[in-house]
Every structure is written in C-alpha cells, then in structure tokens.
Amino acid sequence: MFHHNHHHHHKNPMDHLIKKASGLFHHDDDQGDTNTQQTADTDIETSHTAKYYLARNDQIEEPGHVPRGDCASLKDVIHGPEDPTPYLNPLDDNFRHEIIKYGEFIQGTYDAFDFNTYSDYCGSCLYSIDRMFEKVGLARNGYIMTKYLYAMSRARLPRWLEKSWHPNAWNYDSNWIGYMAVSNDEETARIGIRDIVVPWRGTMAAGEWLKDFEFLLQHIGPDKDDDIKVEHGFYSLYSSKSDDTRYNQTSAQDQFLTELRRLVNFFRERGEQVSLTTTGHSLGAALAYLAAYDAAQEFQDLPVTIVTFGGPRVGNNKFCDFLEQRKVKAIRVVVKHDFIPRMPGIVFNKELEKIEEVADSWHWLYTHYGHVLEIDVESSPYVNHKRDSSGYHNLELHLHLIDGHISSSEMTKFRENAKRDVALVNKSCGMLKEETLVPSCWYQPAFKGLVRNHLGRWVIPQREPEDIPPPPDTVTPLSVFE
C-alpha cells in the first residue's frame, strides 16, 4: 500500500561520520542555492505577480470558509480504503480544500497559543473552548470543539515548552498542545462521515531541531518483543504525566484516548459512521502519528487518517508496518527544501545513502509512512526564493503552496485560480517578496499586548474570565450534537 523509505542512524558510529555527512550536506546546499538563484532570476510563466496580487483583494477567500464542494463521494479516498494517488497528482480541487482545512485547524493552535512569557497564562490557549474558533477566524469551519489537550515531557525537545516568568503563573509544567473537535451535522453531510479531528501544535523554533533531537528509538508495542519502536523524545512528550502537576496528572496520550472513546461510543450508539483524522505540523506531525497508532490499537474498525505538514520521521519499519496492516491512511505534505522531513536520520542526500548497508546492523532505523504531496517554494511568484530553512518549514507557507500546486510534473507553476490570501504567509515569517507590501511577522497583538489601565500605567491586561484556562478534564457536553 505504501512505500517505506528506510534510513538509519546509530549513536556510537556517528562521530566519525559527522564531518563527512556535514560536508556532503553543505555541498548540496551550496549547489541548491545556485540553482535556486537561477530559478529566482527566471520569470515564472503566470499572471500572478505582486501587482496582480494587490489588484485582486476582492477575490480573496477567508480561512475557514473556503467554498468546498460536496465531498461525500471522496469519503473513501480521504477516510477509507480507496487509493488517493490519482487525486494527489494532479491535485484534485476538493482534495486540496480538505487538506487546507486540516492545515487551518493546526494553524489555529499557533494563532491561539499564548507565547508571552510576561503573561501569567503563558503556555495556555488564549481563549476558551467555545470561543477559540471564533477568535482565530475559523468559526465557519463546520466543527465543534470538545476538549483541550495538554502535554509535558521529561525529554529534551526543541523549545516546545513555554514558561511564564510571572510569579503567580497558572502552570509551570505543561503546555496546551492541541484539541479535539467533531464535524457538525452540516459538515458531516458534506464529507459523508462524522469526523473527529485532532490537531497537534508543533515547536516554535525550527532551527533548534538539529541540535535538540533525541534519536533514540524505544519500544511502544503492547508486546515488547514486537520490535515496534518510535523516537524517544516524541513519545516522552506524548506519554509523560506526573501527580505533581495540575494539567498532566494524565498524559496527552490518556487525554486523547479518553475523549476518543467518549466521542466514538456516543456517535456509534446513534448509528453513525465515525472517522478520526489526526493532523499536525512539525513536532505535531509526530504526535499525529502516535495518536493514530493508539487509535488503531483501540478501535480496529475505526477509519483513521493522518494529514501532516513538514513532519519528521517518527518510527521504525515495524511501526509503519502496523499502520499499514490496520489500513491507516496518511497524507504527508512536504516542502521540497524543508530539512525537517529528513529527520531523524543521517541521510541528508544521495551520497549518504551509500552508508545504508552498514546502517542495517544498527538500532537506528527510521521510516516515513504515507502518500507524499511534495510542493515547491519556487512555484510561487510571491515568495522570496532565497534559501531560508526556518521559513521553508512555516505552516502558512505550506498552505499557500498547496493552494497553488498543480501536479508533480508542473512543480514550478502556480495555479491561476488560487485564492488563498497571500498575506497569510508572513504571519510568523518573512518569506514574501517586498513588492507584496506585506510586513514580516505581522500577526502579533497591538502594543505587544500592553494596555493602559485606569491609573494610566501600561500593563498586561487580565484575561476575560471565560478565557482563563479551564480545569484539565473540561469537555463540551455531547448534548450540543442532539
């Protein structure tokens, strides 16, 4: 069903290979820079110029409300056994909109996350469960949020944990990592199935991945002899818990499975067909795979789909074999020049694949799983094509490129009728050309969140009472679906 790409890594032999690997990797980068510059200097055959973009604002479609067709006929392609390959190449418009829909669910976790270390609620969601979609512009996405998910970790991971400097901080051990939502009746009719979605947030600083990865593989299968292994750091974040914390007395894993059981049992008792879609970006992509694995263990007859953006390798070939045996479907969206999907592992380019025979005897073996949708930065006439490893990993850039993608045979062309707002690319990066007149990293609170209080002093405001982080076991009553 899926092609597994086998790459290997080992702790002890790494030192004597680093120099060679680094040299080969940088050699590729230098060559890529030359090719990229040559492409950037060549006019792309499209009417989509910066001037064209500025002149067509009345045609822009809002996030969370992209007009989508009736996708009930695609139910088995997205949430069932049918092969999605013909819909990925060339990219079918309805399939495109569904992928973007799941990407926007993830983007909402970034837009609603409190990064402000001066806030006493740093690391939480800025808004309550019933207000979050509205506050991040996704109120019309057709889903009802049911639960927030929190995570902690005893492993060293790249800056995923944000901590408040406030002396009375709400929490020092956990961060809001994602949520669970369910399609409402209208959306369920449109897609042909009651869909449970679980978006997972990624890390904040892409550049820290290289130095902070924990490459150890660990067993996760119920039988320790089954050789199913995943990356230790990812699993630590997913499964860690402590009685000394408020929000992680149960792990993100336990929180997810408890809510999944509640939702699946409720809708099945009503005679409905239910699906699960786990989705994530970067680190969140790894968590999406771990959640899909658990769901496939828990409900062997539940259709499970994974949709990820810029995700790293997560487990070994046995882990991927299990997903395939349980017919878990996976769609991996990958930007051509993004280095995160090449990790963990030492195979950065074709030259290093020569080491693969030696690596077969090592314990470090990581494998990608799923259908790949590769997109190219050089297809967009709005984006600065100079190499920027952090910018290439940006989620909004992924969504922009998906909106313009045509097919694998036309990687450098951009779709003429793409309507997603180009300005969104620069929400948290500076990838757009200056001619678009969109400033870098524009998505931020006015005055960096400070307001003038009744004494005339500039202070961080108190949150609205309904937006104070709820107790960790808070869920939306299922009566909202009746």
Side-chain angles (χ1 to χ4, degrees), residues 175-458:
N175 274 185
W176 178 64
I177 197 70
Y179 60 89
M180 299 179 70
V182 183
S183 57
N184 62 20
D185 291 347
E186 182 180 359
E187 180 71 357
T188 298
R190 188 186 70 82
I191 63 179
I193 198 166
R194 183 74 70 173
D195 184 39
I196 301 169
V197 65
V198 190
W200 299 90
R201 177 178 65 79
T203 52
M204 304 302 102
E208 296 182 0
W209 281 80
L210 279 172
K211 64 180 180 180
D212 284 338
F213 248 109
E214 294 201 5
F215 291 98
L216 286 171
L217 281 164
Q218 73 170 75
H219 283 279
I220 62 166
D223 182 353
K224 296 303 181 183
D225 295 326
D226 60 14
D227 289 330
I228 297 177
K229 298 179 181 180
V230 295
E231 202 268 353
H232 171 69
F234 299 151
Y235 194 70
S236 175
L237 176 61
Y238 180 62
S239 62
S240 290
K241 58 185 176 181
S242 172
D243 290 338
D244 296 330
T245 68
R246 181 185 178 196
Y247 283 82
N248 275 113
Q249 292 186 6
T250 59
S251 65
Q253 178 183 32
D254 293 336
Q255 296 165 39
F256 157 68
L257 285 173
T258 299
E259 180 67 357
L260 181 65
R261 296 183 193 107
R262 184 178 80 110
L263 296 174
V264 170
N265 292 336
F266 173 79
F267 289 109
R268 283 185 170 177
E269 287 174 2
R270 302 197 333 173
E272 296 191 38
Q273 187 177 8
V274 186
S275 65
L276 171 69
T277 306
T278 63
T279 185
H281 167 245
S282 191
L283 168 64
L287 299 177
Y289 271 87
L290 295 176
Y293 170 87
D294 278 342
Q297 285 272 24
E298 182 80 13
F299 297 98
Q300 297 188 18
D301 57 345
L302 178 69
V304 179
T305 299
I306 308 168
V307 181
T308 65
F309 304 81
R313 299 185 184 95
V314 180
N316 65 356
N317 58 333
K318 294 293 186 181
F319 174 74
C320 298
D321 289 343
F322 173 86
L323 296 177
E324 184 171 355
Q325 290 165 8
R326 294 298 172 91
K327 299 180 180 180
V328 173
K329 179 165 290 180
I331 308 296
R332 297 176 45 242
V333 181
V334 176
V335 170
K336 184 177 179 181
H337 297 302
D338 183 12
F339 65 82
I340 297 301
R342 307 175 197 177
M343 301 176 66
I346 60 173
V347 181
F348 295 112
N349 55 36
K350 295 295 181 182
E351 292 295 325
L352 281 174
E353 291 180 2
K354 297 175 183 177
I355 303 172
E356 191 159 358
E357 291 184 7
V358 178
D360 279 336
S361 63
W362 299 349
H363 298 293
W364 300 75
L365 186 145
Y366 287 90
T367 306
H368 271 310
Y369 174 82
H371 299 274
V372 180
L373 175 60
E374 187 178 54
I375 49 183
D376 195 334
V377 174
E378 294 174 3
S379 69
S380 173
Y382 310 127
V383 173
N384 187 335
H385 298 152
K386 294 181 180 179
R387 280 190 178 272
D388 179 350
S389 59
S390 178
Y392 287 162
H393 193 56
N394 186 273
L395 177 57
E396 282 288 4
L397 177 66
H398 282 68
L399 302 183
H400 167 67
L401 296 177
I402 294 167
D403 190 35
H405 181 76
I406 300 172
S407 68
S408 61
S409 62
E410 298 179 284
M411 291 284 284
T412 58
K413 292 185 178 180
F414 204 78
R415 193 168 64 107
E416 289 291 328
N417 56 342
K419 291 186 176 181
R420 185 174 174 81
D421 192 350
V422 177
L424 295 172
V425 173
N426 269 13
K427 287 177 79 171
S428 59
C429 70
M431 291 294 289
L432 291 179
K433 294 179 179 178
E434 292 183 358
E435 303 94 277
T436 61
L437 305 182
V438 180
S440 300
C441 301
W442 57 261
Y443 193 84
Q444 52 187 289
F447 308 115
K448 296 189 176 181
L450 293 183
V451 298
R452 195 186 294 272
N453 67 10
H454 66 285
L455 298 175
R457 180 183 174 193
W458 287 93

Side-chain angles (χ1 to χ4, degrees), residues 8-38:
H8 309 72
H9 198 99
H10 188 267
K11 183 176 182 180
N12 296 328
M14 273 299 292
D15 291 342
H16 76 277
L17 293 173
I18 287 295
K19 184 175 182 180
K20 179 179 179 181
S22 178
L24 290 169
F25 182 56
H26 286 111
H27 174 73
D28 275 3
D29 271 356
D30 293 340
Q31 182 179 0
D33 283 337
T34 302
N35 294 337
T36 302
Q37 188 60 48
Q38 290 173 350

